[in-house]
Amino acid sequence: MSHAAYVFDAYGTLFDVHAAVRRHAGDVGPNYQIFSEMWRAKQLEYSWTRALMGAYADFWQLTEQALDYTFQHVGGVDPALRQKLLDAYWKLDCYPEVPAVLKALKSRGAHIAILSNGSPAMLASAVRNAALDTVIDDIFSVDAVKTYKTAPAVYDLVTTSYRLYPNAVSFQSSNRWDVAGATKFGFRTVWINRGNMPDEYFDLGPALILPSLESL
């Protein structure tokens, strides 16, 4: 089934959020996976709590704050790595199948877009680094509405811009909570379950579950 627009979450869906730490795994040490998972978990936690409080700070600030917490929580990692890790976050690797999938969908005449918690500068950098700037038509950042997913105002950025009904949009995310929010808004949703995680939010299920974007 074709849709007028294919919209993708960025972090964890198109771009590997653990690539930054993995790039410096030897310096971070044996706990690099725990370190990376904590950094990501706190980054998301800060976005949710700030959205609930109505105290917006952009995603780059949350990324920095989450990293600072992670250095303290995990321990044993040289704080001098801070800038290297932050620099690496601006150039995250995209998943291997991403370029071909986006090009194939674009060839159908559909809009190809990103809808992300990321700041405009972060997203622009990631897209350029992955050489996706000729494939992606639009980048929608929550910065435009000063809140975070899963607020309906975030998903409405797409429908308002494209003047589409929600069900004309196919939304892909690796984050099950994001899929739940997009489903509630009315998007047709695809959960990219890269980590083979158990399902949740059963009343807000996706139309499709895939292990990667390859079969989209």
Side-chain angles (χ1 to χ4, degrees):
M1 181 178 179
S2 294
H3 288 75
Y6 289 85
V7 180
F8 298 82
D9 170 62
Y11 298 115
T13 304
L14 298 180
F15 306 110
D16 184 353
V17 293
H18 299 295
V21 173
R22 194 166 55 244
R23 199 170 298 166
H24 299 286
D27 294 324
V28 174
N31 289 328
Y32 76 92
Q33 289 180 304
I34 294 171
F35 188 95
S36 188
E37 288 165 6
M38 176 59 69
W39 187 8
R40 174 62 170 167
K42 298 305 288 188
Q43 181 193 51
L44 291 175
E45 178 190 324
Y46 294 164
S47 74
W48 296 327
T49 54
R50 284 189 170 274
L52 288 168
M53 290 187 292
Y56 180 78
D58 78 31
F59 205 57
W60 183 244
Q61 294 179 62
L62 305 192
T63 301
E64 291 179 309
Q65 292 167 9
L67 179 58
D68 292 338
Y69 175 89
T70 302
F71 273 114
Q72 295 181 63
H73 182 85
V74 175
V77 181
D78 186 357
L81 288 171
R82 182 181 189 273
Q83 194 57 53
K84 285 184 178 180
L85 292 172
L86 290 173
D87 289 346
Y89 212 93
W90 288 86
K91 297 180 179 180
L92 295 176
D93 300 328
C94 73
Y95 290 99
E97 80 277 11
V98 167
V101 169
L102 297 189
K103 287 175 185 175
L105 292 172
K106 189 177 179 70
S107 71
R108 301 179 186 177
H111 293 290
I112 306 297
I114 286 174
L115 176 64
S116 173
N117 278 343
S119 71
M122 291 173 71
L123 294 169
S125 176
V127 168
R128 280 195 309 271
N129 182 66
L132 298 177
D133 45 336
T134 59
V135 185
I136 292 172
D137 299 310
D138 297 287
I139 299 174
F140 298 102
S141 166
V142 300
D143 199 60
V145 289
K146 304 297 191 229
T147 189
Y148 285 103
K149 295 175 178 177
T150 55
V154 172
Y155 304 105
D156 190 52
L157 286 169
V158 174
T159 51
T160 296
S161 178
Y162 288 156
R163 296 184 179 183
L164 293 172
Y165 288 111
N167 63 8
V169 175
S170 180
F171 179 74
Q172 291 66 229
S173 179
S174 64
N175 302 299
R176 186 61 180 88
W177 52 269
D178 190 14
V179 168
T183 299
K184 178 67 169 62
F185 183 74
F187 286 163
R188 180 260 198 178
T189 55
V190 182
W191 180 25
I192 308 303
N193 188 8
R194 294 189 182 277
N196 194 29
M197 302 297 287
D199 199 8
E200 51 190 336
Y201 306 107
F202 295 108
D203 58 325
L204 296 166
L208 189 63
I209 302 173
L210 297 174
S212 75
L213 290 168
E214 194 169 0
S215 302
L216 189 60

